Short mmCIF file of all heavy atoms in Angstrom, two decimals:
data_model
loop_
_atom_site.label_atom_id
_atom_site.label_comp_id
_atom_site.label_asym_id
_atom_site.label_seq_id
_atom_site.Cartn_x
_atom_site.Cartn_y
_atom_site.Cartn_z
N LEU A 1100 -33.34 5.48 -12.34
CA LEU A 1100 -32.64 5.81 -13.57
C LEU A 1100 -31.51 6.80 -13.29
O LEU A 1100 -30.37 6.61 -13.76
CB LEU A 1100 -33.61 6.41 -14.59
CG LEU A 1100 -33.00 6.85 -15.93
CD1 LEU A 1100 -32.38 5.64 -16.63
CD2 LEU A 1100 -34.06 7.50 -16.81
N ILE A 1101 -31.81 7.82 -12.51
CA ILE A 1101 -30.79 8.81 -12.14
C ILE A 1101 -29.68 8.14 -11.33
O ILE A 1101 -28.49 8.39 -11.54
CB ILE A 1101 -31.42 9.97 -11.35
CG1 ILE A 1101 -32.38 10.76 -12.26
CG2 ILE A 1101 -30.35 10.89 -10.77
CD1 ILE A 1101 -33.22 11.77 -11.53
N LEU A 1102 -30.09 7.26 -10.39
CA LEU A 1102 -29.11 6.55 -9.58
C LEU A 1102 -28.20 5.67 -10.45
O LEU A 1102 -26.99 5.63 -10.26
CB LEU A 1102 -29.83 5.70 -8.53
CG LEU A 1102 -28.93 4.89 -7.57
CD1 LEU A 1102 -28.06 5.83 -6.74
CD2 LEU A 1102 -29.78 4.01 -6.67
N SER A 1103 -28.83 4.99 -11.41
CA SER A 1103 -28.07 4.11 -12.31
C SER A 1103 -27.09 4.91 -13.16
O SER A 1103 -25.93 4.51 -13.34
CB SER A 1103 -29.02 3.34 -13.23
OG SER A 1103 -29.90 2.53 -12.48
N LEU A 1104 -27.55 6.05 -13.66
CA LEU A 1104 -26.68 6.90 -14.46
C LEU A 1104 -25.51 7.42 -13.63
O LEU A 1104 -24.37 7.48 -14.08
CB LEU A 1104 -27.46 8.07 -15.05
CG LEU A 1104 -28.45 7.72 -16.17
CD1 LEU A 1104 -29.29 8.94 -16.55
CD2 LEU A 1104 -27.72 7.20 -17.41
N GLY A 1105 -25.82 7.78 -12.38
CA GLY A 1105 -24.77 8.26 -11.48
C GLY A 1105 -23.74 7.18 -11.20
O GLY A 1105 -22.53 7.42 -11.26
N LEU A 1106 -24.23 5.96 -10.91
CA LEU A 1106 -23.33 4.84 -10.65
C LEU A 1106 -22.50 4.51 -11.89
O LEU A 1106 -21.31 4.21 -11.80
CB LEU A 1106 -24.13 3.61 -10.21
CG LEU A 1106 -24.74 3.69 -8.80
CD1 LEU A 1106 -25.64 2.49 -8.57
CD2 LEU A 1106 -23.65 3.75 -7.74
N TYR A 1107 -23.17 4.58 -13.06
CA TYR A 1107 -22.46 4.29 -14.31
C TYR A 1107 -21.32 5.29 -14.52
O TYR A 1107 -20.20 4.92 -14.88
CB TYR A 1107 -23.42 4.35 -15.49
CG TYR A 1107 -22.73 4.28 -16.83
CD1 TYR A 1107 -22.27 3.06 -17.33
CD2 TYR A 1107 -22.51 5.44 -17.58
CE1 TYR A 1107 -21.62 3.00 -18.54
CE2 TYR A 1107 -21.86 5.39 -18.79
CZ TYR A 1107 -21.41 4.17 -19.27
OH TYR A 1107 -20.76 4.11 -20.47
N ASN A 1108 -21.63 6.57 -14.28
CA ASN A 1108 -20.59 7.60 -14.45
C ASN A 1108 -19.44 7.40 -13.48
O ASN A 1108 -18.26 7.55 -13.84
CB ASN A 1108 -21.20 9.00 -14.26
CG ASN A 1108 -22.08 9.41 -15.42
OD1 ASN A 1108 -21.87 8.96 -16.55
ND2 ASN A 1108 -23.06 10.25 -15.17
N ILE A 1109 -19.80 7.05 -12.23
CA ILE A 1109 -18.76 6.83 -11.22
C ILE A 1109 -17.89 5.64 -11.60
O ILE A 1109 -16.66 5.71 -11.57
CB ILE A 1109 -19.39 6.62 -9.83
CG1 ILE A 1109 -20.04 7.92 -9.34
CG2 ILE A 1109 -18.33 6.14 -8.83
CD1 ILE A 1109 -20.85 7.76 -8.08
N ILE A 1110 -18.55 4.52 -11.96
CA ILE A 1110 -17.81 3.31 -12.30
C ILE A 1110 -16.97 3.49 -13.56
O ILE A 1110 -15.80 3.09 -13.61
CB ILE A 1110 -18.79 2.12 -12.47
CG1 ILE A 1110 -19.44 1.78 -11.12
CG2 ILE A 1110 -18.07 0.90 -13.04
CD1 ILE A 1110 -20.57 0.79 -11.20
N SER A 1111 -17.56 4.12 -14.59
CA SER A 1111 -16.82 4.32 -15.84
C SER A 1111 -15.63 5.25 -15.62
O SER A 1111 -14.55 5.05 -16.19
CB SER A 1111 -17.73 4.87 -16.93
OG SER A 1111 -18.27 6.13 -16.54
N THR A 1112 -15.82 6.24 -14.76
CA THR A 1112 -14.70 7.14 -14.42
C THR A 1112 -13.60 6.38 -13.72
O THR A 1112 -12.40 6.57 -14.01
CB THR A 1112 -15.19 8.30 -13.53
OG1 THR A 1112 -16.19 9.05 -14.24
CG2 THR A 1112 -14.04 9.23 -13.16
N GLN A 1113 -14.00 5.50 -12.77
CA GLN A 1113 -13.02 4.70 -12.05
C GLN A 1113 -12.27 3.75 -12.99
O GLN A 1113 -11.06 3.55 -12.86
CB GLN A 1113 -13.71 3.89 -10.94
CG GLN A 1113 -14.29 4.73 -9.82
CD GLN A 1113 -13.20 5.45 -9.05
OE1 GLN A 1113 -12.11 4.93 -8.86
NE2 GLN A 1113 -13.49 6.67 -8.60
N ILE A 1114 -13.00 3.19 -13.96
CA ILE A 1114 -12.38 2.28 -14.92
C ILE A 1114 -11.37 3.03 -15.79
O ILE A 1114 -10.25 2.57 -16.01
CB ILE A 1114 -13.45 1.60 -15.81
CG1 ILE A 1114 -14.29 0.61 -14.96
CG2 ILE A 1114 -12.81 0.88 -16.99
CD1 ILE A 1114 -15.47 0.03 -15.69
N ARG A 1115 -11.79 4.23 -16.28
CA ARG A 1115 -10.88 5.04 -17.09
C ARG A 1115 -9.65 5.44 -16.29
O ARG A 1115 -8.53 5.42 -16.80
CB ARG A 1115 -11.60 6.27 -17.63
CG ARG A 1115 -12.62 5.99 -18.74
CD ARG A 1115 -13.00 7.26 -19.46
NE ARG A 1115 -13.64 8.22 -18.56
CZ ARG A 1115 -14.94 8.28 -18.33
NH1 ARG A 1115 -15.75 7.40 -18.94
NH2 ARG A 1115 -15.45 9.18 -17.52
N LEU A 1116 -9.87 5.81 -15.02
CA LEU A 1116 -8.77 6.20 -14.16
C LEU A 1116 -7.81 5.02 -13.94
O LEU A 1116 -6.59 5.18 -13.97
CB LEU A 1116 -9.30 6.71 -12.82
CG LEU A 1116 -8.24 7.13 -11.78
CD1 LEU A 1116 -7.41 8.28 -12.33
CD2 LEU A 1116 -8.92 7.53 -10.47
N ALA A 1117 -8.41 3.83 -13.71
CA ALA A 1117 -7.58 2.64 -13.49
C ALA A 1117 -6.75 2.32 -14.73
O ALA A 1117 -5.57 1.96 -14.63
CB ALA A 1117 -8.47 1.45 -13.14
N ARG A 1118 -7.37 2.48 -15.90
CA ARG A 1118 -6.64 2.21 -17.14
C ARG A 1118 -5.52 3.22 -17.36
O ARG A 1118 -4.43 2.85 -17.78
CB ARG A 1118 -7.61 2.23 -18.33
CG ARG A 1118 -8.50 0.99 -18.41
CD ARG A 1118 -9.49 1.09 -19.53
NE ARG A 1118 -10.28 -0.13 -19.64
CZ ARG A 1118 -11.35 -0.25 -20.42
NH1 ARG A 1118 -11.75 0.79 -21.16
NH2 ARG A 1118 -12.02 -1.39 -20.46
N ARG A 1119 -5.82 4.50 -17.07
CA ARG A 1119 -4.78 5.52 -17.21
C ARG A 1119 -3.64 5.25 -16.23
O ARG A 1119 -2.47 5.41 -16.55
CB ARG A 1119 -5.36 6.92 -17.00
CG ARG A 1119 -6.14 7.45 -18.19
CD ARG A 1119 -6.29 8.96 -18.10
NE ARG A 1119 -7.01 9.37 -16.91
CZ ARG A 1119 -8.33 9.54 -16.84
NH1 ARG A 1119 -9.06 9.32 -17.93
NH2 ARG A 1119 -8.91 9.93 -15.73
N THR A 1120 -4.02 4.87 -15.00
CA THR A 1120 -3.00 4.59 -13.99
C THR A 1120 -2.15 3.40 -14.41
O THR A 1120 -0.92 3.42 -14.29
CB THR A 1120 -3.66 4.30 -12.62
OG1 THR A 1120 -4.45 5.44 -12.25
CG2 THR A 1120 -2.61 4.03 -11.56
N GLU A 1121 -2.83 2.36 -14.90
CA GLU A 1121 -2.10 1.18 -15.37
C GLU A 1121 -1.20 1.55 -16.53
O GLU A 1121 -0.06 1.09 -16.63
CB GLU A 1121 -3.10 0.10 -15.81
CG GLU A 1121 -2.43 -1.19 -16.26
CD GLU A 1121 -3.44 -2.21 -16.76
OE1 GLU A 1121 -4.48 -1.79 -17.31
OE2 GLU A 1121 -3.19 -3.41 -16.60
N GLY A 1122 -1.72 2.43 -17.42
CA GLY A 1122 -0.95 2.84 -18.58
C GLY A 1122 0.30 3.61 -18.22
O GLY A 1122 1.25 3.66 -19.00
N ARG A 1123 0.34 4.23 -17.03
CA ARG A 1123 1.51 4.97 -16.59
C ARG A 1123 2.42 4.14 -15.69
O ARG A 1123 3.64 4.18 -15.81
CB ARG A 1123 1.09 6.25 -15.85
CG ARG A 1123 0.43 7.29 -16.72
CD ARG A 1123 0.11 8.54 -15.92
NE ARG A 1123 1.32 9.20 -15.48
CZ ARG A 1123 1.99 10.09 -16.20
NH1 ARG A 1123 1.57 10.42 -17.40
NH2 ARG A 1123 3.08 10.67 -15.72
N ILE A 1124 1.80 3.37 -14.78
CA ILE A 1124 2.59 2.63 -13.80
C ILE A 1124 3.30 1.43 -14.41
O ILE A 1124 4.49 1.22 -14.17
CB ILE A 1124 1.69 2.17 -12.63
CG1 ILE A 1124 1.25 3.40 -11.82
CG2 ILE A 1124 2.43 1.19 -11.73
CD1 ILE A 1124 0.32 3.09 -10.69
N LEU A 1125 2.59 0.66 -15.25
CA LEU A 1125 3.20 -0.54 -15.80
C LEU A 1125 4.41 -0.22 -16.69
O LEU A 1125 5.48 -0.81 -16.51
CB LEU A 1125 2.16 -1.36 -16.58
CG LEU A 1125 2.63 -2.71 -17.12
CD1 LEU A 1125 3.23 -3.56 -16.01
CD2 LEU A 1125 1.47 -3.46 -17.78
N PRO A 1126 4.30 0.74 -17.62
CA PRO A 1126 5.49 1.08 -18.39
C PRO A 1126 6.63 1.59 -17.52
O PRO A 1126 7.80 1.34 -17.81
CB PRO A 1126 4.99 2.18 -19.35
CG PRO A 1126 3.53 1.93 -19.48
CD PRO A 1126 3.11 1.45 -18.12
N ARG A 1127 6.30 2.30 -16.45
CA ARG A 1127 7.35 2.80 -15.56
C ARG A 1127 8.09 1.65 -14.88
O ARG A 1127 9.31 1.67 -14.75
CB ARG A 1127 6.74 3.74 -14.51
CG ARG A 1127 7.77 4.44 -13.65
CD ARG A 1127 7.11 5.46 -12.76
NE ARG A 1127 6.49 6.53 -13.54
CZ ARG A 1127 5.75 7.49 -13.01
NH1 ARG A 1127 5.51 7.50 -11.70
NH2 ARG A 1127 5.23 8.42 -13.76
N HIS A 1128 7.34 0.62 -14.47
CA HIS A 1128 7.98 -0.55 -13.88
C HIS A 1128 8.83 -1.29 -14.91
O HIS A 1128 9.90 -1.82 -14.58
CB HIS A 1128 6.92 -1.50 -13.29
CG HIS A 1128 6.38 -1.05 -11.97
ND1 HIS A 1128 7.17 -0.97 -10.83
CD2 HIS A 1128 5.16 -0.65 -11.59
CE1 HIS A 1128 6.45 -0.54 -9.82
NE2 HIS A 1128 5.22 -0.34 -10.25
N LEU A 1129 8.36 -1.30 -16.15
CA LEU A 1129 9.14 -1.93 -17.21
C LEU A 1129 10.44 -1.15 -17.44
O LEU A 1129 11.50 -1.73 -17.67
CB LEU A 1129 8.32 -1.98 -18.50
CG LEU A 1129 7.16 -2.98 -18.50
CD1 LEU A 1129 6.25 -2.74 -19.71
CD2 LEU A 1129 7.67 -4.41 -18.52
N ALA A 1130 10.34 0.18 -17.38
CA ALA A 1130 11.53 1.01 -17.54
C ALA A 1130 12.52 0.75 -16.41
O ALA A 1130 13.74 0.66 -16.63
CB ALA A 1130 11.15 2.48 -17.59
N LEU A 1131 12.01 0.61 -15.20
CA LEU A 1131 12.87 0.28 -14.06
C LEU A 1131 13.52 -1.09 -14.25
O LEU A 1131 14.68 -1.30 -13.89
CB LEU A 1131 12.07 0.32 -12.76
CG LEU A 1131 11.74 1.70 -12.21
CD1 LEU A 1131 10.74 1.60 -11.07
CD2 LEU A 1131 13.01 2.42 -11.75
N ALA A 1132 12.74 -2.03 -14.82
CA ALA A 1132 13.28 -3.37 -15.08
C ALA A 1132 14.44 -3.28 -16.07
O ALA A 1132 15.44 -3.99 -15.92
CB ALA A 1132 12.18 -4.28 -15.63
N ALA A 1133 14.31 -2.41 -17.06
CA ALA A 1133 15.40 -2.23 -18.01
C ALA A 1133 16.64 -1.68 -17.32
O ALA A 1133 17.77 -2.09 -17.61
CB ALA A 1133 14.96 -1.28 -19.13
N CYS A 1134 16.44 -0.77 -16.36
CA CYS A 1134 17.57 -0.21 -15.60
C CYS A 1134 18.25 -1.29 -14.77
O CYS A 1134 19.49 -1.36 -14.72
CB CYS A 1134 17.08 0.91 -14.68
SG CYS A 1134 16.47 2.37 -15.54
N VAL A 1135 17.45 -2.12 -14.11
CA VAL A 1135 18.01 -3.20 -13.29
C VAL A 1135 18.79 -4.17 -14.18
O VAL A 1135 19.90 -4.61 -13.83
CB VAL A 1135 16.90 -3.95 -12.53
CG1 VAL A 1135 17.45 -5.19 -11.85
CG2 VAL A 1135 16.26 -3.02 -11.50
N TYR A 1136 18.21 -4.49 -15.33
CA TYR A 1136 18.90 -5.40 -16.26
C TYR A 1136 20.24 -4.82 -16.69
O TYR A 1136 21.26 -5.51 -16.70
CB TYR A 1136 18.02 -5.65 -17.49
CG TYR A 1136 18.74 -6.39 -18.58
CD1 TYR A 1136 18.93 -7.77 -18.51
CD2 TYR A 1136 19.27 -5.70 -19.68
CE1 TYR A 1136 19.62 -8.45 -19.51
CE2 TYR A 1136 19.96 -6.37 -20.67
CZ TYR A 1136 20.13 -7.75 -20.58
OH TYR A 1136 20.81 -8.40 -21.57
N MET A 1137 20.23 -3.52 -17.04
CA MET A 1137 21.46 -2.89 -17.49
C MET A 1137 22.51 -2.87 -16.38
O MET A 1137 23.68 -3.13 -16.61
CB MET A 1137 21.17 -1.47 -17.97
CG MET A 1137 20.66 -1.39 -19.39
SD MET A 1137 21.80 -2.14 -20.57
CE MET A 1137 23.29 -1.19 -20.26
N ALA A 1138 22.07 -2.54 -15.16
CA ALA A 1138 23.00 -2.49 -14.02
C ALA A 1138 23.62 -3.86 -13.77
O ALA A 1138 24.83 -3.98 -13.58
CB ALA A 1138 22.28 -1.98 -12.78
N ASN A 1139 22.79 -4.90 -13.80
CA ASN A 1139 23.31 -6.27 -13.59
C ASN A 1139 24.20 -6.71 -14.74
O ASN A 1139 25.20 -7.39 -14.54
CB ASN A 1139 22.13 -7.25 -13.44
CG ASN A 1139 21.36 -7.02 -12.15
OD1 ASN A 1139 21.88 -6.46 -11.20
ND2 ASN A 1139 20.11 -7.45 -12.12
N HIS A 1140 23.82 -6.30 -15.94
CA HIS A 1140 24.58 -6.67 -17.13
C HIS A 1140 25.98 -6.08 -17.07
O HIS A 1140 26.96 -6.72 -17.44
CB HIS A 1140 23.85 -6.17 -18.37
CG HIS A 1140 24.47 -6.61 -19.66
ND1 HIS A 1140 24.54 -7.93 -20.04
CD2 HIS A 1140 25.04 -5.91 -20.66
CE1 HIS A 1140 25.14 -8.02 -21.22
NE2 HIS A 1140 25.45 -6.80 -21.61
N LYS A 1141 26.07 -4.85 -16.58
CA LYS A 1141 27.37 -4.18 -16.49
C LYS A 1141 28.25 -4.81 -15.42
O LYS A 1141 29.47 -4.81 -15.52
CB LYS A 1141 27.16 -2.70 -16.19
CG LYS A 1141 26.64 -1.92 -17.38
CD LYS A 1141 26.08 -0.59 -16.96
CE LYS A 1141 27.16 0.29 -16.41
NZ LYS A 1141 26.65 1.62 -16.03
N GLU A 1142 27.62 -5.33 -14.36
CA GLU A 1142 28.38 -5.92 -13.27
C GLU A 1142 28.86 -7.33 -13.61
O GLU A 1142 29.84 -7.82 -13.05
CB GLU A 1142 27.53 -5.97 -11.99
CG GLU A 1142 27.27 -4.59 -11.40
CD GLU A 1142 26.32 -4.66 -10.21
OE1 GLU A 1142 25.92 -5.77 -9.86
OE2 GLU A 1142 25.99 -3.60 -9.66
N ALA A 1143 28.15 -7.99 -14.55
CA ALA A 1143 28.48 -9.38 -14.88
C ALA A 1143 29.63 -9.44 -15.88
O ALA A 1143 29.50 -9.95 -16.99
CB ALA A 1143 27.24 -10.08 -15.44
N LYS A 1144 30.77 -8.91 -15.52
CA LYS A 1144 31.89 -8.80 -16.45
C LYS A 1144 32.48 -10.17 -16.80
O LYS A 1144 33.15 -10.31 -17.81
CB LYS A 1144 32.97 -7.89 -15.87
CG LYS A 1144 32.50 -6.46 -15.74
CD LYS A 1144 33.60 -5.57 -15.18
CE LYS A 1144 33.12 -4.13 -15.06
NZ LYS A 1144 34.15 -3.26 -14.48
N GLY A 1145 32.22 -11.15 -15.96
CA GLY A 1145 32.80 -12.46 -16.22
C GLY A 1145 31.96 -13.31 -17.15
O GLY A 1145 32.39 -14.38 -17.57
N GLU A 1146 30.76 -12.86 -17.50
CA GLU A 1146 29.89 -13.67 -18.35
C GLU A 1146 30.42 -13.74 -19.78
O GLU A 1146 31.00 -12.78 -20.29
CB GLU A 1146 28.47 -13.09 -18.35
CG GLU A 1146 27.75 -13.26 -17.02
CD GLU A 1146 26.31 -12.80 -17.11
OE1 GLU A 1146 25.86 -12.52 -18.23
OE2 GLU A 1146 25.64 -12.77 -16.07
#
């Protein structure tokens, strides 16, 4: 029971950490994508 509780705490902590990490990294990549889009958009003067 103690082992199970310990594993549960470890796993749940890892899941929360993964979600927090995803919550920070994915939006950051999206923000970078917006920058790349803007940079390309500005260069495409002939479009």
Side-chain angles (χ1 to χ4, degrees):
L1100 178 61
I1101 294 170
L1102 181 63
S1103 299
L1104 289 173
L1106 289 173
Y1107 171 78
N1108 287 332
I1109 292 172
I1110 293 171
S1111 60
T1112 300
Q1113 293 295 325
I1114 291 173
R1115 288 195 298 270
L1116 179 62
R1118 285 176 177 170
R1119 283 199 299 269
T1120 302
E1121 182 183 32
R1123 292 183 66 87
I1124 291 177
L1125 185 53
R1127 187 173 296 174
H1128 282 295
L1129 289 168
L1131 284 170
C1134 294
V1135 171
Y1136 171 79
M1137 277 303 302
N1139 292 337
H1140 186 64
K1141 287 164 65 178
E1142 290 175 3
K1144 294 181 180 178
E1146 290 186 8

